[in-house]
Amino acid sequence: EPEVTQTPSHQVTQMGQEVILRCVPISNHLYFYWYRQILGQKVEFLVSFYNNEISEKSEIFDDQFSVERPDGSNFTLKIRSTKLEDSAMYFCASMLGVQGYTFGSGTRLTVV
Amino acid sequence: ELKVEQNPLFLSMQEGKNYTIYCNYSTTSDRLYWYRQDPGKSLESLFVLLSNGAVKQEGRLMASLDTKARLSTLHITAAVHDLSATYFCAVTHNNNDMRFGAGTRLTVKP
């Protein structure tokens, strides 16, 4: 069964450093998403991406965040200058149609 | 702004018992999803409900959707320990963007 692949599975970074979280969505999917989940809490929408541009973003997705789909397969989330409160599980998801998202296994980001 | 509310947030039940988790949402949507999450793991799709009156069943879980009441239910029949997990409902908003409820942490005790 096709999968959404995320790397790395765990990233530890120092406060103020830049991080790039990588995702390879399912190849024929058209919509791409990033969500985050602070430990034990709800799954929060960050950004959606369609047709090579951001279609919607939440208030969490401020100027410190950016997304790219540089080569038609990878889908990346960059956090420019990490803060302690950015520590969370970040999930990438992709979708073809109404059947919903396929989520990746997540990247646990720890900012120290 | 779309709000998705689940209750209860925590549910402890005995094996063999039945219970229902509720999911209410605030604006019109005709697509509702249920996901399961085990600790430290990703979200696993359980059900996709695409129309009013939709009912789907898989094993001991049954989900239904009432779009007029903006309510979905996830019914658990004769719970077993393996069902212990966090269950999320999610509703689409603005085309395909999904918003999640806070989750229901289910613990099934022997």
Side-chain angles (χ1 to χ4, degrees):
Chain A
E1 190 172 326
E3 286 185 346
V4 175
T5 306
Q6 286 187 247
T7 55
S9 56
H10 191 189
Q11 170 107 36
V12 181
T13 189
Q14 290 206 316
M15 195 167 52
Q17 294 295 305
E18 175 184 285
V19 293
I20 297 176
L21 309 183
R22 301 180 193 279
C23 171
V24 179
I26 295 172
S27 59
N28 63 336
H29 283 193
L30 302 175
Y31 302 87
F32 311 107
Y33 305 87
W34 284 100
Y35 285 77
R36 81 171 186 192
Q37 185 180 33
I38 295 170
L39 186 62
Q41 297 187 27
K42 71 186 293 186
V43 181
E44 298 176 294
F45 170 74
L46 292 178
V47 65
S48 58
F49 194 87
Y50 171 70
N51 205 24
N52 283 322
E53 60 183 20
I54 290 174
S55 48
E56 192 170 349
K57 58 185 180 179
S58 72
E59 58 276 6
I60 302 169
F61 194 89
D62 61 20
D63 292 345
Q64 292 300 314
F65 290 86
S66 62
V67 288
E68 267 194 328
R69 193 150 188 260
D71 56 11
S73 62
N74 292 288
F75 179 49
T76 61
L77 175 69
K78 183 193 291 187
I79 309 174
R80 225 178 310 280
S81 176
T82 49
K83 304 189 276 283
L84 293 176
E85 54 265 37
D86 293 327
S87 295
M89 194 78 158
Y90 288 79
F91 290 106
C92 172
S94 68
M95 185 176 77
L96 177 60
V98 300
Q99 290 304 315
Y101 299 178
T102 301
F103 281 89
S105 54
T107 293
R108 182 177 301 280
L109 177 65
T110 304
V111 182
V112 297
Chain B
E1 183 190 339
L2 175 61
K3 290 190 188 333
V4 183
E5 293 185 352
Q6 281 181 243
N7 71 84
L9 299 182
F10 297 92
L11 176 56
S12 180
M13 54 192 296
Q14 295 291 129
E15 277 191 330
K17 298 292 188 186
N18 304 333
Y19 208 82
T20 300
I21 299 170
Y22 296 89
C23 175
N24 287 92
Y25 52 97
S26 61
T27 64
T28 303
S29 174
D30 55 7
R31 282 193 262 155
L32 189 133
Y33 305 84
W34 284 96
Y35 287 87
R36 169 183 171 141
Q37 187 181 38
D38 291 295
K41 302 290 186 183
S42 187
L43 293 129
E44 174 194 351
S45 178
L46 293 174
F47 298 109
V48 180
L49 302 168
L50 298 176
S51 60
N52 187 40
V55 177
K56 290 202 176 171
Q57 181 160 6
E58 179 76 34
R60 299 173 189 274
L61 300 177
M62 183 172 72
S64 67
L65 177 62
D66 180 344
T67 57
K68 291 180 180 150
R70 296 178 189 164
L71 170 69
S72 179
T73 60
L74 181 67
H75 187 73
I76 303 154
T77 302
V80 292
H81 178 70
D82 284 353
L83 290 180
S84 297
T86 300
Y87 293 85
F88 291 94
C89 66
V91 178
T92 52
H93 170 67
N94 283 351
N95 300 322
N96 297 309
D97 298 345
M98 203 179 285
R99 299 292 186 273
F100 284 79
T104 297
R105 188 175 299 178
L106 171 66
T107 305
V108 181
K109 297 181 177 176

